């Protein structure tokens, strides 16, 4: 958590924290932190894949969960980049 506390805009810190949480079984928190990383830089293919995998494990369609504050999350009727 220390690296994220130092620079909340460091996508690598969010990814590292999420990977640790994923390995320890904290899937929902891992997905949230991968989404934080994607909010900083949405063009991270590997992170997008991790979110999709976690979403399928947790349940859902593999798209990021749309919640207030997740402006980058897929909204109904929007086109996602290919």
């Amino acid at each position: 958590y220390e690296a994220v506390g130092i620079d909340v805009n460091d996508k690598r810190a969010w990814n590292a924290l999420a990977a640790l949480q994923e390995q320890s079984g904290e899937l929902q928190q891992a997905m949230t932190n991968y989404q934080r990383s994607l909010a900083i830089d949405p063009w991270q293919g590997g992170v997008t894949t991790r979110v999709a995998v976690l979403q399928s494990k947790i349940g859902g369609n593999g798209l990021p969960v749309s919640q207030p504050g997740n402006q980058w999350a897929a909204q109904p009727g929007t086109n996602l980049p290919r």
Side-chain angles (χ1 to χ4, degrees):
Y1 295 100
E2 189 174 321
V4 174
I6 293 170
D7 184 1
V8 296
N9 293 314
D10 185 349
K11 67 182 180 185
R12 294 170 301 167
W14 288 115
N15 289 335
L17 178 58
L20 290 172
Q21 291 168 325
E22 185 177 358
Q23 290 174 351
S24 68
E26 300 173 61
L27 302 185
Q28 185 64 50
Q29 192 60 41
M31 186 168 61
T32 297
N33 288 323
Y34 281 132
Q35 289 174 333
R36 286 179 175 147
S37 175
L38 287 170
I40 296 165
D41 177 6
W43 302 108
Q44 302 176 73
V47 177
T48 303
T49 300
R50 294 308 320 143
V51 169
V53 167
L54 287 174
Q55 188 69 31
S56 70
K57 287 181 180 181
I58 294 169
N61 61 8
L63 294 174
V65 177
S66 179
Q67 298 174 349
N70 287 352
Q71 296 91 357
W72 66 272
Q75 300 295 320
T78 60
N79 294 324
L80 298 175
R82 294 177 189 224

